[in-house]
Amino acid sequence: MKKIIVAPSILSADFSALGKDIAMIAGAGAGWVHIDVMDGHFVPNITIGPVVVKSVRKATSLFFDVHLMIREPQKYWPDFRKAGADLITFHSETDCDKMRLIKDIKSSGAKAGISIKPKTPVAEIENMLAYLDLVLVMSVEPGFGGQAFMHETVPKITELRNIIDGGKYDCLIEVDGGINAETGHLCARAGADVLVSGSYIFSSSRPEDAVRSLSEIKK
């Protein structure tokens, strides 16, 4: 059985000690760092830009999983690639040429992902799965950390797993929103490969143990 990839979201980390927090999650077994980018337009929140990503890149060799929750990903993704992003995920709900954007991201040497909100059906992205490296299923409405897991999103994980396996596509399934040990197991059983978790890890009195509780989940 394969192990789950854990991608702690630094949205919930201590921004005055990001280097320390990232070293902690790496030591606890996290494989990726999830970086949420919000522009205040696509979602009602503003977070970080490429300058912060570039600074954090100097502190770790962990895989950088950059989630663009922004209105114009086609305009800004190169800045995040230059800053050190290894995977760039944009939203299917944005108004852009999605196939062109996937091609452009991959031509830069980065991996390309697409994300769907809780109410967006898998059918919206099914024709792109053969070209993607990752699909991110949002299990909360994007914009803020600390929200409760939406159980109605689990069937979408299973649906994606069946399509990806049936087509023999090289595409990971990632889930983000309300992830803890319990919901993480639920997502893994449904077919998830990558779990994003923020508050569960960084608000814990023992964040290392929280990371390990997710990294020990078997698919």
Side-chain angles (χ1 to χ4, degrees), residues 67-218:
H67 178 194
L68 300 181
M69 287 174 272
I70 64 177
R71 184 175 289 173
E72 298 182 280
Q74 72 279 13
K75 182 176 180 180
Y76 295 104
W77 77 265
D79 295 329
F80 289 94
R81 173 59 177 155
K82 291 174 186 175
D86 297 298
L87 164 68
I88 297 172
T89 298
F90 64 96
H91 268 265
S92 70
E93 300 86 4
T94 56
D95 184 17
C96 67
D97 184 338
K98 297 171 184 61
M99 285 302 303
R100 173 63 184 273
L101 183 50
I102 292 166
K103 181 179 178 181
D104 288 348
I105 292 171
K106 295 185 77 164
S107 69
S108 77
K111 294 184 181 298
I114 199 163
S115 181
I116 51 177
K117 292 181 180 182
K119 294 180 181 178
T120 302
V122 169
E124 291 288 324
I125 61 163
E126 187 171 352
N127 67 324
M128 294 179 267
L129 291 173
Y131 308 95
L132 290 163
D133 297 294
L134 178 141
V135 174
L136 169 54
V137 176
M138 292 300 301
S139 45
V140 298
E141 287 295 337
F144 295 91
Q147 298 183 65
F149 182 84
M150 297 172 67
H151 285 77
E152 60 267 33
T153 61
V154 174
K156 288 164 63 172
I157 303 170
T158 303
E159 183 180 359
L160 279 165
R161 181 80 279 152
N162 291 336
I163 296 170
I164 290 169
D165 290 351
K168 294 183 168 53
Y169 303 141
D170 187 16
C171 180
L172 297 173
I173 300 171
E174 181 175 55
V175 186
D176 181 5
I179 297 297
N180 53 37
E182 180 183 352
T183 58
H185 276 282
L186 186 65
C187 293
R189 287 196 298 271
D193 302 292
V194 186
L195 298 176
V196 177
S197 184
S199 299
Y200 173 67
I201 292 172
F202 292 107
S203 296
S204 171
S205 60
R206 294 187 60 82
E208 298 93 337
D209 291 345
V211 173
R212 293 189 188 103
S213 73
L214 297 175
S215 64
E216 290 171 358
I217 294 174
K218 301 293 194 300

